[in-house]
């Protein structure tokens, strides 16, 4: 391990529902590209367009024409629902999980090394090893690490850190998650 990552990085933070929701959305954006709302909406629009293209062929067959029209309408509505309701439902799901886990909202002190993260709150002490995590996503405000054994989503807030500490944290996470690190995703609603 390079000399610059030998010393641990420590930070104190208290997560808010907004922090967790943002981290959840960023991880979802990078972890499953085929589940992005733009991809799902495009699939629905494509199916609707294909179904609508069969309408002229079904001009003499009333039942077939009705089925093609129904499929086109249903998938067009599904595309709109995926595009407009998807981010709202994803945000609600993240907020629901955050509210269901009061330990996640406790003030915590996190110590990060090249091998692990140690999270200490007034109620628990967790050690998470980086080998258990699958992806790390960094934004301007935070770093989200997903796939842990004790906490599926570990959120590290960069807000409030001095610039040199934030850069040190970012460098450590890029080093640890080489090949599993992703940059900033779209902020509002994902795509």
């Amino acid at each position: 391990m390079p000399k610059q990552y030998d010393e641990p990085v420590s930070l104190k933070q208290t997560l808010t529902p907004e922090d967790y929701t943002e981290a959840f959305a960023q991880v979802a954006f990078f972890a499953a590209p085929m589940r992005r709302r733009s991809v799902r909406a495009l699939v629905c629009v494509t199916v609707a367009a294909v179904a609508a293209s069969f309408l002229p062929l079904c001009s003499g067959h009333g039942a077939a024409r009705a089925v093609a029209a129904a499929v086109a309408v249903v998938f067009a509505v599904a595309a709109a629902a995926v595009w407009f309701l998807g981010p709202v439902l994803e945000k609600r799901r993240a907020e629901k999980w955050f509210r269901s886990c009061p330990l996640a909202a406790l003030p915590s002190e996190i110590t990060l090394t090249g091998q692990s993260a140690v999270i200490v709150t007034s109620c628990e002490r967790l050690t998470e090893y980086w080998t258990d995590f699958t992806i790390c996503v960094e934004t301007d405000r935070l770093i989200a690490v997903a796939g842990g054994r004790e906490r599926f989503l570990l959120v590290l807030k960069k807000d409030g850190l001095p610039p040199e500490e934030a850069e040190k944290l970012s460098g450590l996470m890029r080093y640890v998650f080489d090949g599993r690190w992703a940059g900033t995703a779209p902020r509002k609603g994902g795509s």
Side-chain angles (χ1 to χ4, degrees), residues 55-68:
L55 287 173
L57 297 174
C58 301
S59 61
H61 303 78
R65 187 174 177 83
V67 169

Side-chain angles (χ1 to χ4, degrees), residues 43-67:
V43 167
C44 291
V45 166
T46 302
V47 172
V50 169
S53 72
F54 280 105
L55 287 173
L57 297 174
C58 301
S59 61
H61 303 78
R65 187 174 177 83
V67 169

Side-chain angles (χ1 to χ4, degrees), residues 9-15 19 106-112 118-121 155-162 165 169:
V9 176
S10 296
L11 58 122
K12 293 180 181 184
Q13 68 181 20
T14 302
L15 288 182
D19 297 329
L106 290 175
S108 58
E109 184 172 334
I110 303 172
T111 304
L112 308 163
V118 177
I119 304 128
V120 179
T121 68
V155 181
L156 306 168
K157 292 170 50 173
K158 295 192 301 185
D159 289 350
L161 288 177
E165 280 296 308
L169 172 64

Side-chain angles (χ1 to χ4, degrees), residues 25 28-30 32-47 75-76 78-88 90 185-186 188-191:
F29 182 85
F30 283 105
M34 293 305 292
R35 294 197 50 159
R36 293 178 183 170
R37 76 178 177 150
S38 57
V39 172
R40 290 182 291 157
L42 185 60
V43 167
C44 291
V45 166
T46 302
V47 172
F75 276 93
V82 164
W83 188 259
F84 294 109
L85 296 179
V88 173
E90 185 177 275
K188 295 293 179 184
S191 47

Side-chain angles (χ1 to χ4, degrees), residues 15 20-21 23-25 27 97 133 144-148 151-155:
L15 288 182
Y20 188 83
T21 302
F24 185 87
V27 166
W97 184 91
F133 290 93
V145 188
R151 291 262 173 90
F152 173 75
L153 187 61
L154 174 62
V155 181

Side-chain angles (χ1 to χ4, degrees), residues 73-95:
V73 169
V74 165
F75 276 93
V77 169
V82 164
W83 188 259
F84 294 109
L85 296 179
V88 173
L89 296 176
E90 185 177 275
K91 181 179 179 183
R92 284 184 187 163
R93 187 173 64 174
E95 287 173 346

